[in-house]
Amino acid sequence: MAEPTLNVRGCEIYEGWLDGDAQAALVQDLRDVVAQAPLFTPRTPRGKPMSVRMTSAGKYGWYSDRRGYRYEGAHPKGGPWPTIPPAVLDIWRALVSPARMPDCCLINYYTSDARMGLHQDRDEADFAWPVLSVSLGDDALFRIGSDTKGGATSSVWLNSGDVVVMGGAARLCYHGIDRIRPGTSALFQGTGRINLTCRVVD
DNA sequence: AAGTTCCT
DNA sequence: GGAC
């Protein structure tokens, strides 16, 4: 059984889980997903555009607008979400469980000035299943707190190929991305970071 | 604190 | 902490 190389506030980090070839293959899979389900800019319930662009694969996609945070069965432009790339499911099988596949693979695209405020992943029906997150491209400063608002936090730089599993007591921990370090990965032309977040939704 | 939220 |  694989062991995390780092544990930050209960979040298990598998540094360098994907080698360069696996990362490049995954990027091609994601290009196919984005061709079918274009990236969009979600708005917060207050109407403010988020700095990340996103899309999803799987039964559900995560979505946000003035009506709130939720999962949707279709892309905002219509039609089902593409299927989750098999290589992503392989990571889930290896680090979470082969017994149940995720319903959603959220694809977040960060430009050099994109951020993600601290938040909990709590739009799912069953918190017993961990959340799995894959980093691709530029380095990102990941901040992790506890499951209560206002608590202490720790930060760690995530690199391309790293995988984070948030389960157990860490399933509802607050987490976010404070900063992208542009140009630190050759995976994309220029700069950019993609984060995949896989979740069991219902 | 998916928001340099906004409000009680 | 909750709502939008």
Side-chain angles (χ1 to χ4, degrees), chain A residues 41-54:
Chain A
T41 301
R43 287 181 178 267
T44 68
R46 289 275 184 189
K48 187 183 176 69
M50 294 174 67
S51 59
V52 299
R53 289 196 294 155
M54 63 175 59

Side-chain angles (χ1 to χ4, degrees), chain A residues 132-163:
Chain A
L132 179 145
S133 153
V134 180
S135 292
L136 294 168
D138 286 337
D139 300 345
L141 186 57
F142 185 52
R143 190 147 57 98
I144 306 163
S146 68
D147 61 1
T148 54
K149 202 171 172 175
T153 62
S154 302
S155 295
V156 60
W157 282 97
L158 296 179
N159 309 121
S160 192
D162 291 352
V163 177

Side-chain angles (χ1 to χ4, degrees), chain A residues 1 74 79 180:
Chain A
M1 184 59 182
I180 300 296

